[in-house]
Amino acid sequence: MEMRNSERCILQWLYILVSLSVVYGRYTRWKSFAIYTNGVIYTVDPFDDEWDLHPEEAMVVNDHTGYIEYIGDNAVALQYRTDSSYVHDLGGNTVLPGFHDVHMHPLEAMTELGGGCSVPSNTPPENMLYNISQCKPRDDATAWVLGHGHSIEYSIEYILEHINNGGRPPNEIIDEVMDTNPVIIMEETSHSVWVNSKALELAGITKDTPNNPGGIIMKDASTGEPNGILFENAGNEIMDLAMKSFKNLDEMNYDALLLGLEELRRNGITSVCDARTYWKRNHHDAWKMACDDKELTVRAVLGLWAYPHMNDAEQIQRLKELYTNGYNKNECFLKINEIKVYSDGLLESTTGAMLKPYVKNFHLPGLDENIGMNYFTQERLEVYFEHLQAFGYDKGFDFHIHAIGDRGVEEVLNAIEKTKEKGTRHRMTHLEIVNQRDIPRFQELDVIADFQVTGTYTLPDKLYRIENVVGESRAKNFIPVKSVEDTGAAVTLSSDWDVSSLNPFISIQHATQRGSQSISVKSAIEMRTINAAYAMRQENEVGCLSAGMAADFVVINKDILNIPINQIGTAKVLLTALQGEIIYQLDKK
């Protein structure tokens, strides 16, 4: 009997399905999988508002590609097992996407160039003398002695209580133990330095030297002579001068970066933004070298430093030349597509740009109105946005902008509003004092708000430190994470390492302990993963855990969504994976 068309069609489809099954069977036998079972796996899926309520228990990673094949049940995951597969029993430990840190300084944090010689923190210069006397140049080719350690608060206190009352300035005191070598001692936030007379001489700083944009040279009130305290970019400039004399600068940069990468792995961090890539000090070359040597164990975006004292046209052209949306050696994860620019300084030193005067007045030279200062004015920022956020064919920098005071924040938002190109992902960082009228503008302008809450100074019981400088009313909503989040704006959390701890669990814990500005643990995790991935333009690759995404993940010893908040900071990283490759595993000994 002749076969009916319908029957023939069914047989043909059966044949196709059997063939596909055979092919798939051969394909899966050829493939190698890493299978993770018996875990508490939080996907942080942006399309699932309740990802925190139903963690998965297993994950399958393709060893050849480093991408996730499956997330779900143990039984299904184990069906992927082949002769070449390896099953990792997570033992009930928790899995999260690899942490992102979109504002940190991994090279600077570990370098021996700008901070190899440590001095006591809250002490007068006289008590630093022994430490300084033991310091030596880090390079045979240079006479410069570089150190770090004293606090910004003590610098201000020393100015008010000692120098302004006739006490000897730091340069004269340091000269007692070291007058032939130039000395630079950087304070812990890197926003000011103390130097000796030899350093001032080599830098050509005299009583007639004016302040360059973004910098303040402190001078004796009666004589006008520089006293050895340089704020903000004045400190950066003298540090640049010292760096020029180092013959092994590139080697020391590279060594520091490798040490920084090791710390990132230990802390479960798989993606970072270098928040101040000093290209005149060849920092970007160290990152490229790590890529060339297959040592780059992190997805990295470099934020090229915009030098406030440099000619705009010259600098803009040079920044364009440094741009790359992917460094193509050894398939590493390196991009140079952000610009780091400062709008203002710090609240503690009254250099942060404020709309109204500070309640304290340190009488800093050139800041007669006592409303802070600008590195880059609004008008100048507009020029940089217009020339760099979109140029050439399919090229453009995202801007990463330091703004701390309410005037600095408002001026940056104004500049973005006037110049913004569609598709840009500009990010403002710190945002310590924000005027209420500017809170909605982050969402309206599609500007990412990046906050740091790792330091204990951001907690409510330490608020008096800021109240003493700006007043109680303006300090009320210090670092307004919750207020900005409530508008629907994209919000990230970062560390600003090494100003604060690198530990992501401390930032997550502190974010939930800030009184009226507290957020949920769930939100804090999203800000350290998928939101930050968006800021780095890689949300379609990493930031959450689902089939088809790259297997960047971290295994930790505590379910931080289901333990007391005050214990979150004690969580430990057991394993860190980048694109499926295990790059760190805690020694069980």
Side-chain angles (χ1 to χ4, degrees):
M1 181 183 295
E2 187 176 341
M3 185 178 293
R4 296 177 183 175
N5 289 337
S6 59
E7 293 173 336
R8 184 182 295 111
C9 183
I10 291 171
L11 287 176
Q12 286 175 340
W13 274 109
L14 287 172
Y15 175 79
I16 292 172
L17 290 173
V18 170
S19 299
L20 288 173
S21 177
V22 171
V23 170
Y24 178 75
R26 291 174 179 171
Y27 174 61
T28 54
R29 282 195 296 274
W30 171 80
K31 290 173 73 173
S32 175
F33 298 104
I35 303 171
Y36 296 85
T37 61
N38 300 319
V40 179
I41 303 174
Y42 291 107
T43 63
V44 195
D45 187 342
F47 301 105
D48 179 3
D49 289 338
E50 296 184 341
W51 61 261
D52 57 315
L53 301 181
H54 48 80
E56 306 293 354
E57 60 182 2
M59 177 170 64
V60 179
V61 177
N62 185 318
D63 275 343
H64 295 291
T65 66
Y67 284 84
I68 298 169
E69 294 268 345
Y70 171 79
I71 287 188
D73 299 330
N74 284 330
V76 176
L78 289 171
Q79 292 178 15
Y80 284 78
R81 182 163 45 187
T82 66
D83 293 340
S84 57
S85 295
Y86 184 79
V87 178
H88 302 255
D89 188 338
L90 294 168
N93 288 310
T94 296
V95 178
L96 288 165
F99 291 114
H100 287 54
D101 197 323
V102 296
H103 182 138
M104 62 162 9
H105 310 278
L107 190 158
E108 289 184 77
M110 302 303 290
T111 186
E112 292 187 346
L113 284 169
C117 175
S118 181
V119 299
S121 179
N122 296 317
T123 58
E126 291 93 335
N127 292 1
M128 298 181 185
L129 291 184
Y130 174 77
N131 300 76
I132 295 172
S133 70
Q134 303 303 302
C135 297
K136 293 179 174 58
R138 291 285 177 179
D139 190 314
D140 293 339
T142 184
W144 288 84
V145 173
L146 307 179
H148 82 297
H150 63 288
S151 70
I152 184 68
E153 291 91 347
Y154 191 80
S155 294
I156 297 300
E157 181 181 334
Y158 188 80
I159 292 171
L160 288 177
E161 298 183 4
H162 190 74
I163 297 178
N164 289 350
N165 292 319
R168 285 194 305 157
N171 63 313
E172 292 183 8
I173 296 172
I174 297 173
D175 289 346
E176 285 186 15
V177 294
M178 199 167 292
D179 59 353
T180 57
N181 289 85
V183 178
I184 304 175
I185 308 296
M186 179 183 290
E187 56 88 1
E188 59 193 0
T189 72
S190 78
H191 281 259
S192 69
V193 298
W194 291 8
V195 302
N196 67 349
S197 298
K198 189 64 176 179
L200 292 171
E201 175 191 335
L202 293 178
I205 297 175
T206 69
K207 65 179 182 179
D208 299 319
T209 304
N211 290 330
N212 278 339
I216 297 173
I217 301 169
M218 293 295 292
K219 298 177 180 179
D220 184 270
S222 57
T223 67
E225 294 290 340
N227 65 19
I229 301 178
L230 305 176
F231 278 106
E232 302 295 344
N233 196 55
N236 286 333
E237 289 189 71
I238 200 168
M239 190 66 77
D240 282 337
L241 176 66
M243 297 294 180
K244 289 179 181 179
S245 66
F246 282 76
K247 69 179 180 182
N248 63 348
L249 178 64
D250 290 345
E251 179 183 345
M252 295 182 79
N253 283 341
Y254 185 59
D255 290 344
L257 179 58
L258 293 186
L259 291 173
L261 292 172
E262 183 178 344
E263 289 302 306
L264 298 181
R265 297 191 292 270
R266 291 178 184 276
N267 284 273
I269 296 169
T270 55
S271 290
V272 301
C273 295
D274 184 343
R276 187 169 52 201
T277 304
Y278 285 119
W279 48 273
K280 286 189 175 183
R281 301 180 194 173
N282 300 335
H283 283 190
H284 58 301
D285 288 334
W287 287 93
K288 288 181 177 180
M289 192 182 305
C291 179
D292 294 343
D293 294 344
K294 297 185 178 181
E295 296 286 350
L296 190 59
T297 53
V298 71
R299 299 177 194 270
V301 168
L302 307 189
L304 297 172
W305 174 248
Y307 290 85
H309 57 282
M310 192 172 176
N311 172 271
D312 290 339
E314 179 184 346
Q315 176 158 232
I316 287 170
Q317 180 57 38
R318 182 62 182 132
L319 293 172
K320 287 181 178 179
E321 294 168 358
L322 291 170
Y323 174 90
T324 174
N325 200 33
Y327 185 64
N328 295 319
K329 289 191 178 181
N330 293 329
E331 299 181 351
C332 71
F333 308 111
L334 177 63
K335 297 181 179 181
I336 308 177
N337 61 2
E338 288 189 356
I339 301 293
K340 178 62 182 295
V341 60
Y342 277 24
S343 169
D344 60 358
L346 299 178
L347 297 179
E348 292 90 339
S349 61
T350 69
T351 55
M354 298 295 289
L355 292 166
K356 296 180 180 179
Y358 287 90
V359 298
K360 277 194 174 180
N361 193 335
F362 300 140
H363 303 286
L364 302 182
L367 305 185
D368 297 336
E369 295 182 66
N370 197 29
I371 56 172
M373 54 158 277
N374 289 101
Y375 275 69
F376 281 79
T377 63
Q378 177 182 325
E379 293 72 24
R380 225 176 141 203
L381 282 172
E382 291 173 16
V383 172
Y384 278 72
F385 287 140
E386 288 170 347
H387 284 87
L388 291 172
Q389 65 185 349
F391 63 95
Y393 174 73
D394 197 29
K395 292 182 178 180
F397 285 100
D398 290 324
F399 277 71
H400 181 187
I401 310 139
H402 167 119
I404 280 186
D406 53 10
R407 178 168 63 86
V409 172
E410 187 166 283
E411 289 172 347
V412 173
L413 290 170
N414 290 345
I416 292 174
E417 185 171 21
K418 288 187 176 183
T419 61
K420 186 171 175 60
E421 294 272 351
K422 185 178 180 180
T424 55
R425 296 188 186 181
H426 299 323
R427 180 167 77 261
M428 293 173 63
T429 191
H430 299 309
L431 305 171
E432 294 187 353
I433 304 292
V434 183
N435 192 292
Q436 188 61 37
R437 65 173 176 257
D438 288 320
I439 294 290
R441 298 179 72 192
F442 293 91
Q443 189 275 332
E444 293 166 1
L445 297 172
D446 292 324
V447 175
I448 300 162
D450 177 51
F451 298 96
Q452 295 84 41
V453 296
T454 304
T456 56
Y457 73 93
T458 67
L459 298 176
D461 63 345
K462 298 293 192 299
L463 200 57
Y464 65 88
R465 295 171 61 257
I466 299 303
E467 291 175 345
N468 290 340
V469 182
V470 303
E472 185 176 348
S473 61
R474 283 186 290 184
K476 183 177 181 181
N477 288 313
F478 180 58
I479 311 183
V481 182
K482 182 68 162 58
S483 296
V484 177
E485 181 197 31
D486 285 346
T487 69
V491 179
T492 60
L493 293 175
S494 59
S495 69
D496 200 9
W497 184 53
D498 64 332
V499 174
S500 296
S501 169
L502 181 60
N503 188 329
F505 306 113
I506 295 176
S507 71
I508 292 170
Q509 176 176 319
H510 285 183
T512 68
Q513 298 175 313
R514 303 191 60 250
S516 63
Q517 291 299 331
S518 294
I519 59 174
S520 67
V521 177
K522 176 176 182 284
S523 289
I525 291 172
E526 290 171 344
M527 291 175 187
R528 291 299 308 250
T529 54
I530 191 62
N531 292 12
Y534 172 81
M536 293 180 66
R537 294 183 176 270
Q538 57 186 29
E539 73 277 11
N540 294 323
E541 186 83 0
V542 293
C544 66
L545 301 175
S546 62
M549 300 291 281
D552 289 14
F553 63 92
V554 58
V555 181
I556 62 178
N557 68 338
K558 294 183 179 181
D559 182 352
I560 60 174
L561 282 150
N562 290 292
I563 60 174
I565 285 174
N566 62 5
Q567 295 181 19
I568 293 174
T570 65
K572 300 293 183 185
V573 172
L574 304 178
L575 180 149
T576 306
L578 177 73
Q579 191 91 17
E581 179 184 354
I582 296 175
I583 56 175
Y584 169 76
Q585 195 158 11
L586 182 66
D587 188 350
K588 295 181 180 179
K589 294 181 180 180

